[in-house]
Amino acid sequence: MFVEEKYKKNIRKSLRERVKAVCKLHDFGKKEETWQTACRKDFELYRRSPKAFVADNIRKAGVRHELFSAREAKKCKMPLPLIAAISAHHGKLNIGSEPRWRFFPDIWKELKTMSWGNGTFSETLRLQYEYSALRGLLQLADHRASAREEGEYVPPLKTFSYKFPHATMRPVQRLIAENWDKDLLLLRAPTGAGKTDASLLWAQLQIEHHRADRLVIAMPTRFTSNALSISVAESLSDTGLYHSSAWFTKYHQSVKDGIADEIHAKKEHELARLLETPVTVCTIDHLLMALTLTREDHHLITFNLANSCLVIDEADFYDEFTQANILVLLKALKEWQVPVMLMSASLPEVVLRDYQSIGYDVQEILTDHSDEERIRFEVKDIRHSSCVDDLEDLLNKMMGAGKGIIYANTIDRAFEYAAWLQDQGFDDVIVYHSRFTEPDKQGKEAELIKALGKDAWKNGEAHGIAILTQIGEMSINISADMMISDLCPIDRLTQRAGRICRFDEERTGELYVIRPYRDGLLYPAPYGTPPQKGEKGWKACIAFDMTDRLVEKKSYCSKSLLDLLNKVYHESSAFSAKADQNAKNLEAYFMYNWLIGSKERTKEDDTSNQFWRSRDIPPQESVFVCKPPSLYFKNWHDFQEYKLSTSIEIPLYLIQKGLRQHIFDVIKVPIGTEGQKEGIYVIREGFYNKTLGLTLNVNNDSIFL
């Protein structure tokens, strides 16, 4: 078994024997008389009144059986990693639990001494791998055994199985077959080159050669995760999907329709969150958040990651926050000997220096040159625009053709385009951005595919103008001959342009690049920083400025786009102090929490905590598009399910503005029998619809998708 072999090789101990030992002793403390007495009293209360039962006696006894179990392990002269695993199996090995250790100060002192030793990040990674294996696997086994005893469904743990489905390999897949054994493989190929099958082929080779036992695919956003999980599932049925709205994407409708069992679906969803599925598609944020170790289950997630091979698909190179965080992740993966493939249609040469700087022996970016000279599109014009009226001629041309794609950098600009077209009597418009509920997002995606997808073009039925923001750059497989796009960093522009004549290699499309202006100044939002007090206008990021200077009115093929990409990202610029400190904080979280956790506890779907963020975006909060049909939820899960299907995440400061303008109401809904109330923001009628999503009449200077 790969996991055992890797542990034996690196730790020189038998993982199987260690796990058997902790399983044997982890509940030994339940024999303690104080614990037994409290349990007997609680059982008697339960027998008399099951509905009103509260386990008061065991709570007031101040006894945790796992601490007595740890004492027994100490008596048996078990090594500290085993004692730590037993101590942590109910998620209480943290500073907040220190008072409970007053009867066992010697064990607590030994754990603290080990936890807060002044080792390096690399040394801490090695230690955490040894300890998290026992800690995570004991909890997994304990939860599954308890579920089995209760007669609950226990989902099987399956293994990766994939067979390359094609008779011949495309060029990008041949590159994989010839270079699969690199610790870090960088792959560059245009959209439509077959990268999904290439990533599965790469994973198959890692697993066949005992370099991993599962595949994790990390995408930049949950929207791209959704699309890729569907694509991967065509070849692999056992594919897990995990992000903040993955439950709704993968399971909600089938459970609602009675096709899938809700309990089974919840258990399978949990396996994906823990990276226990043979293939898990998730966001990069989920992996980064696990490195903070601010939840007990982060130990199992990181251990499973350490036994995976990882594909990072389409990282945003203009976003220094993301890149600085990814370098921390790659340091961890290198120490854990995790094979990594980073693939993108727009991967600049400069990344070689970044990855070499953290110890990877990577000398080249593998590139699919097979179709790089074919002209993909022509930039017909570059012009600035303060309002949509400035683009009347282009929009009239697009309306005349009856179809096209418009990319707007902000939701407000998307609305302006839509309003202008509809004012001209052109109603075949599809607006798609992040401010739709999950069911309405799915409806929008289906609408886009029906109007401008592959089958629509094949059958001569393509129609309509799609107006998209950034969430439509990678996740929607549509095409048009004419595109209008706001100026953006070249890697984003390349992704957008990948939807020009996507399904017809004989055609050359037209791209019109728009330099957006606001109040007489170039308006690069969201690619930069908003004005500080006393400043005027946004400050563009370097990649936006460089793209603005270098993009030309001419024809582009994959090779010329790559040349432009490398000119924009021509040197490895130092991260800003803010991004650099944020990345250092991620390392610090890992080193501080690796054994004894802090008091800080994060939620399952958090992507930030007190001192660290996965992305440099304003704090977000949920707003509900309608009041709940019942102002009561029987449990937290029911509330969360309603939230996923009827809420939208927006920046908190916009909510505050909306409250002042009476766009939102605040209501409190009771959850559960104990009457716990949750305050929620509800959008007033008239500000949300299925056609445009959420529309706010507030000054909008946020990072919009």
Side-chain angles (χ1 to χ4, degrees):
M1 182 180 177
F2 168 77
V3 176
E4 290 183 73
E5 293 170 2
K6 183 171 182 176
Y7 194 86
K8 180 75 172 179
K9 177 182 176 183
N10 288 285
I11 307 302
R12 302 189 184 284
K13 302 289 182 183
S14 168
L15 179 60
R16 183 179 294 267
E17 292 305 314
R18 282 186 152 193
V19 170
K20 283 168 66 175
V22 294
C23 285
K24 183 177 179 180
L25 274 186
H26 79 289
D27 273 350
F28 187 89
K30 289 181 178 178
K31 294 182 178 180
E32 181 67 27
E33 185 56 35
T34 308
W35 195 90
Q36 284 282 326
T37 300
C39 281
R40 281 193 289 267
K41 289 179 179 178
D42 279 336
F43 179 72
E44 186 60 32
L45 290 174
Y46 172 78
R47 205 162 54 104
R48 291 177 189 170
S49 182
K51 291 184 179 179
F53 170 70
V54 179
D56 268 345
N57 289 289
I58 193 67
R59 181 174 58 82
K60 291 175 181 176
V63 177
R64 295 207 61 88
H65 74 271
E66 63 265 33
L67 306 191
F68 287 105
S69 299
R71 181 186 65 181
E72 185 65 22
K74 178 77 171 174
K75 286 181 181 177
C76 295
K77 300 188 183 306
M78 281 189 172
L80 193 60
L82 283 72
I83 295 172
I86 291 169
S87 304
H89 81 272
H90 280 287
K92 301 295 184 182
L93 187 55
N94 54 63
I95 290 300
S97 298
E98 184 169 10
R100 294 191 172 103
W101 286 89
R102 63 187 181 276
F103 301 120
F104 314 103
D106 56 331
I107 301 176
W108 181 248
K109 183 179 179 181
E110 191 175 358
L111 288 168
K112 279 211 305 188
T113 301
M114 173 58 75
S115 182
W116 296 338
N118 296 314
T120 64
F121 185 46
S122 293
E123 290 167 342
T124 307
L125 285 161
R126 289 194 290 272
L127 280 169
Q128 194 266 350
Y129 169 79
E130 177 183 3
Y131 280 66
S132 68
L134 308 174
R135 187 171 184 161
L137 292 175
L138 173 59
Q139 289 184 43
L140 180 67
D142 192 34
H143 293 165
R144 289 170 68 83
S146 296
R148 206 179 294 277
E149 286 175 5
E150 296 293 328
E152 297 176 6
Y153 170 70
V154 179
L157 299 177
K158 299 179 181 179
T159 57
F160 181 94
S161 178
Y162 171 75
K163 182 175 176 60
F164 188 70
H166 309 294
T168 58
M169 290 185 183
R170 298 173 71 177
V172 68
Q173 293 147 10
R174 285 199 297 273
L175 285 172
I176 292 298
E178 295 163 3
N179 297 274
W180 61 269
D181 58 346
K182 299 181 186 300
D183 294 333
L184 174 61
L185 190 151
L186 304 178
L187 179 67
R188 184 167 51 209
T191 54
K195 293 198 294 293
T196 299
D197 273 322
S199 66
L200 296 177
L201 174 62
W202 175 80
Q204 178 190 6
L205 291 166
Q206 305 308 311
I207 291 164
E208 284 179 352
H209 288 85
H210 303 284
R211 288 162 57 91
D213 77 339
R214 72 199 72 191
L215 168 63
V216 177
I217 305 177
M219 303 293 288
T221 67
R222 58 195 172 102
F223 310 107
T224 51
S225 298
N226 293 344
L228 186 70
S229 71
I230 294 168
S231 176
V232 170
E234 292 173 0
S235 303
L236 288 164
S237 58
D238 298 315
T239 301
L241 174 66
Y242 187 76
H243 53 67
S244 60
S245 59
W247 168 265
F248 190 89
T249 302
K250 192 172 176 69
Y251 297 111
H252 174 81
Q253 195 59 45
S254 58
V255 168
K256 185 178 177 182
D257 294 342
I259 299 170
D261 180 85
E262 183 175 4
I263 293 174
H264 289 203
K266 286 179 186 176
K267 299 276 189 177
E268 290 165 7
H269 185 56
E270 175 67 5
L271 285 186
R273 190 176 69 81
L274 297 172
L275 308 185
E276 283 286 355
T277 42
V279 181
T280 306
V281 181
C282 62
T283 62
I284 196 74
D285 308 71
H286 181 52
L287 305 184
L288 292 169
M289 191 68 200
L291 290 182
T292 69
L293 300 175
T294 48
R295 290 178 53 83
E296 182 60 39
D297 51 24
H298 285 163
H299 290 276
L300 181 55
I301 293 170
T302 52
F303 181 67
N304 284 336
L305 179 60
N307 293 301
S308 304
C309 53
L310 174 67
V311 172
I312 300 176
D313 195 357
E314 300 293 357
D316 291 328
F317 291 96
Y318 72 86
D319 184 341
E320 63 171 1
F321 245 65
T322 299
Q323 291 305 311
N325 281 326
I326 286 177
L327 285 183
V328 176
L329 175 62
L330 287 174
K331 287 180 191 177
L333 297 173
K334 185 176 185 301
E335 192 62 53
W336 290 331
Q337 301 159 31
V338 175
V340 180
M341 180 167 74
L342 200 157
M343 62 181 189
S344 173
S346 48
L347 194 59
E349 293 290 330
V350 72
V351 299
L352 290 172
R353 284 175 249 168
D354 291 332
Y355 303 147
Q356 289 165 355
S357 72
I358 59 173
Y360 279 105
D361 181 20
V362 55
Q363 303 300 322
E364 64 174 333
I365 300 173
L366 298 178
T367 303
D368 178 1
H369 297 291
S370 61
D371 196 27
E372 65 179 7
E373 300 285 355
R374 176 172 65 84
I375 299 300
R376 303 281 177 139
F377 60 89
E378 180 183 357
V379 175
K380 299 289 286 186
D381 199 5
I382 303 170
R383 60 170 79 174
H384 73 258
S385 168
S386 298
C387 65
V388 177
D389 287 337
D390 298 333
L391 309 175
E392 181 177 0
D393 59 324
L394 299 183
L395 293 170
N396 280 328
K397 182 177 181 179
M398 190 174 281
M399 285 192 298
K403 45 192 172 288
I405 296 175
I406 299 173
Y407 276 102
N409 285 350
T410 67
I411 294 176
D412 280 356
R413 285 181 60 79
F415 287 158
E416 289 175 22
Y417 281 117
W420 193 95
L421 290 168
Q422 289 169 345
D423 284 346
Q424 309 307 308
F426 189 87
D427 294 324
D428 196 1
V429 176
I430 308 169
V431 180
Y432 181 60
H433 53 74
S434 64
R435 290 198 203 142
F436 287 95
T437 63
E438 289 303 320
D440 290 345
K441 279 194 190 98
Q442 291 185 356
K444 282 288 178 181
E445 291 174 7
E447 190 179 353
L448 285 164
I449 296 296
K450 184 177 179 181
L452 295 169
K454 191 170 186 177
D455 288 342
W457 282 97
K458 180 181 177 181
N459 299 327
E461 298 171 352
H463 64 91
I465 295 176
I467 303 174
L468 315 171
T469 58
Q470 289 93 320
I471 68 168
E473 287 175 350
M474 291 180 279
S475 58
I476 306 297
N477 192 23
I478 59 174
S479 177
D481 295 347
M482 179 181 176
M483 177 180 291
I484 298 170
S485 174
D486 286 350
L487 179 66
C488 56
I490 184 57
D491 45 328
R492 300 297 91 216
L493 191 61
T494 297
Q495 287 292 340
R496 295 179 183 186
R499 274 129 194 89
I500 301 175
C501 298
R502 189 178 181 89
F503 309 127
D504 190 345
E505 296 182 359
E506 303 300 319
R507 299 174 69 87
T508 300
E510 298 179 358
L511 173 61
Y512 296 85
V513 178
I514 309 304
R515 304 176 72 244
Y517 271 69
R518 181 165 150 180
D519 300 326
L521 299 171
L522 186 64
Y523 181 51
Y527 305 106
T529 53
Q532 304 301 307
K533 190 173 182 179
E535 295 179 343
K536 289 186 177 181
W538 276 61
K539 181 180 179 181
C541 68
I542 294 173
F544 185 97
D545 267 341
M546 290 293 291
T547 304
D548 189 20
R549 290 181 212 166
L550 296 173
V551 69
E552 301 177 74
K553 291 190 284 184
K554 68 174 194 178
S555 296
Y556 283 91
C557 59
S558 293
K559 186 177 184 303
S560 54
L561 282 170
L562 177 58
D563 292 341
L564 180 54
L565 178 79
N566 284 324
K567 288 177 182 176
V568 169
Y569 297 100
H570 67 288
E571 61 181 33
S572 184
S573 56
F575 297 125
S576 68
K578 186 179 180 182
D580 186 56
Q581 185 58 54
N582 186 67
K584 287 178 180 175
N585 288 348
L586 180 57
E587 288 190 16
Y589 263 105
F590 186 91
M591 294 178 69
Y592 187 82
N593 289 328
W594 80 269
L595 181 52
I596 297 177
S598 64
K599 290 183 179 180
E600 184 179 3
R601 285 291 168 268
T602 51
K603 297 176 183 176
E604 283 186 5
D605 295 322
D606 282 349
T607 57
S608 64
N609 51 33
Q610 191 172 356
F611 299 108
W612 172 83
R613 288 182 289 171
S614 62
R615 299 172 188 272
D616 190 18
I617 59 175
Q620 308 279 303
E621 187 59 76
S622 298
V623 294
F624 290 73
V625 301
C626 58
K627 289 183 179 179
S630 169
L631 292 181
Y632 167 76
F633 292 91
K634 64 180 180 181
N635 55 47
W636 188 253
H637 176 77
D638 282 359
F639 172 71
Q640 288 297 321
E641 190 164 344
Y642 181 77
K643 179 179 176 180
L644 281 174
S645 60
T646 61
S647 71
I648 300 164
E649 294 282 316
I650 67 171
L652 184 58
Y653 81 88
L654 282 181
I655 293 176
Q656 293 165 348
K657 287 184 177 182
L659 287 170
R660 291 195 294 270
Q661 296 185 17
H662 307 292
I663 294 171
F664 306 120
D665 292 315
V666 180
I667 63 174
K668 292 199 171 184
V669 292
I671 302 171
T673 55
E674 295 181 12
Q676 175 190 351
K677 289 190 175 182
E678 181 81 3
I680 64 173
Y681 301 104
V682 180
I683 303 163
R684 290 190 175 181
E685 191 173 344
F687 292 96
Y688 181 84
N689 61 66
K690 294 177 181 289
T691 302
L692 293 178
L694 176 62
T695 57
L696 296 175
N697 298 323
V698 295
N699 186 22
N700 231 336
D701 252 342
S702 179
I703 295 180
F704 295 127
L705 299 176

